[in-house]
Amino acid sequence: MAGTTQKVLLNDNATIVCKIHGYHHLDITVMGITWYRKHQASATEVKLFEFFDNHQMILRSGAHVSERRLQRGDASLQLPGVQLKEAGEYRCEVVVTPYKAVGTVNLEVVAYPVSSLSPEQAMVKENEEQRILCMASRFYPKNITITWKKWTPKDPRYLEISEGIITNSTTEDEDGMFRVTSYLMVKPSLEDNMTVYQCVVWHESLPTSQSHNFTLIVTETEKTTFVWDNIVISIVVILVIVLPWLYVLFKRKGLCQTNPLSSTLRASPQNIQNDIGRIEEV
């Protein structure tokens, strides 16, 4: 057998190794091979394939043992399109009359994550919060690691981040696959302009980790001094123009009430001239 454990990707074709040593050529008409599978959650064995007396019995669709290879001592089982439920212990039982040998191996079915980062680039104002989302889905088994790193123009090395990270619990889909989401919250200053944040995903199905980059563009906050300038100007206008005008208006009204023009017109020309002078002074 190929060690104690074999791994295969979901939906891939698997070859579960079982080789017979000590024979240069086997007479397959006087030998027998039986393959069994025992599921991880059950102690019951299920027969998958049987070759006996030069006849095959296939109990798992697509299961196959090459007769040509069998003559050279290779009794490996080939399984197309392996599914998650087919993980478990596989047993190869070989009979070469009058001898018998048994070997077992654990088959692990894994699925690599489909990961993404959103958004890939954003333009934000200084001190404005920005959320970066990293998501991994369709992976198996459950255990997965997501880490965050950042790179700055001043320090061109990826340094791991430990603050501002929220990683949700891993959830299971209806078909047994898993998904997880991780968030990074940043509140940048102008010094963080062109900083690159990186989401790194690691899973046992991957030969190397998956990584996705996010570039942050930080712009200066708009100046608000012009608002105060407008307020000050408005106050000055009120003090310099409006209030004197109101004063003149009320003063004139007071004159009209105490010295009505209608009665002044009936007075002497000298009185009229005096009233006009007072109005002009106001």
Side-chain angles (χ1 to χ4, degrees):
M1 312 301 286
T4 58
T5 303
Q6 277 189 248
K7 284 186 180 181
V8 61
L9 283 172
L10 177 67
N11 296 319
D12 271 9
N13 300 331
T15 298
I16 307 175
V17 178
C18 178
K19 293 185 177 181
I20 307 161
H21 299 287
Y23 295 89
H24 296 291
H25 182 81
L26 286 170
D27 183 0
I28 61 176
T29 62
V30 293
M31 68 176 297
I33 301 168
T34 308
W35 275 97
Y36 301 90
R37 184 190 75 231
K38 183 165 62 176
H39 194 270
Q40 295 170 331
S42 173
T44 305
E45 276 192 328
V46 177
K47 186 184 292 187
L48 303 175
F49 179 88
E50 186 176 69
F51 178 88
F52 183 74
D53 194 21
N54 211 23
H55 295 286
Q56 294 186 11
M57 182 169 65
I58 301 171
L59 302 171
R60 191 276 194 191
S61 178
H64 177 67
V65 173
S66 170
E67 293 185 14
R68 181 174 58 84
R69 293 182 179 178
L70 186 57
Q71 293 175 352
R72 302 197 301 267
D74 188 350
S76 300
L77 179 67
Q78 298 174 25
L79 297 175
V82 174
Q83 301 301 301
L84 295 178
K85 64 182 180 180
E86 295 185 286
E89 183 185 83
Y90 283 73
R91 183 162 66 93
C92 174
E93 185 178 282
V94 179
V95 175
V96 180
T97 306
Y99 305 106
K100 178 181 178 180
V102 176
T104 60
V105 64
N106 287 315
L107 184 70
E108 294 181 1
V109 182
V110 298
Y112 58 82
V114 178
S115 59
S116 61
L117 186 69
S118 177
E120 295 181 356
Q121 179 176 299
M123 181 179 294
V124 298
K125 296 177 182 178
E126 59 177 324
N127 298 320
E128 182 179 274
E129 278 196 337
Q130 173 68 40
R131 185 179 71 170
I132 312 170
L133 167 65
C134 184
M135 185 174 66
S137 61
R138 309 303 298 163
F139 60 88
Y140 186 92
K142 182 178 181 179
N143 292 335
I144 195 170
T145 302
I146 296 180
T147 56
W148 290 89
K149 297 181 179 181
K150 77 172 183 177
W151 175 96
T152 63
K154 291 184 178 180
D155 188 3
R157 298 175 300 167
Y158 278 104
L159 302 176
E160 190 165 332
I161 305 171
S162 58
E163 297 180 352
I165 299 171
I166 302 173
T167 301
N168 295 334
S169 300
T170 304
T171 56
E172 184 176 1
D173 295 333
E174 292 182 359
D175 58 359
M177 308 284 274
F178 294 94
R179 66 177 58 242
V180 67
T181 303
S182 182
Y183 302 91
L184 174 64
M185 300 296 297
V186 296
K187 193 174 182 180
S189 64
L190 288 177
E191 294 181 354
D192 296 314
N193 186 40
M194 298 309 296
T195 295
V196 177
Y197 293 90
Q198 186 178 75
C199 167
V200 182
V201 179
W202 168 249
H203 188 259
E204 65 175 272
S205 62
L206 297 171
T208 58
S209 60
Q210 297 175 343
S211 60
H212 304 276
N213 291 347
F214 166 87
T215 302
L216 187 66
I217 301 174
V218 185
T219 59
E220 189 174 2
T221 304
E222 294 180 2
K223 300 298 183 181
T224 58
T225 55
F226 73 94
V227 176
W228 293 107
D229 290 344
N230 289 339
I231 294 175
V232 171
I233 292 171
S234 299
I235 294 173
V236 171
V237 169
I238 292 173
L239 293 175
V240 174
I241 299 177
V242 177
L243 287 180
W245 180 82
L246 289 174
Y247 174 78
V248 171
L249 181 64
F250 285 110
K251 185 72 173 177
R252 183 176 297 176
K253 185 177 180 181
L255 286 173
C256 292
Q257 290 177 347
T258 55
N259 299 295
L261 289 177
S262 57
S263 45
T264 302
L265 292 173
R266 292 191 296 270
S268 65
Q270 182 62 41
N271 290 337
I272 294 173
Q273 186 65 37
N274 292 338
D275 287 341
I276 292 173
R278 283 197 298 269
I279 292 174
E280 289 177 348
E281 287 176 359
V282 175

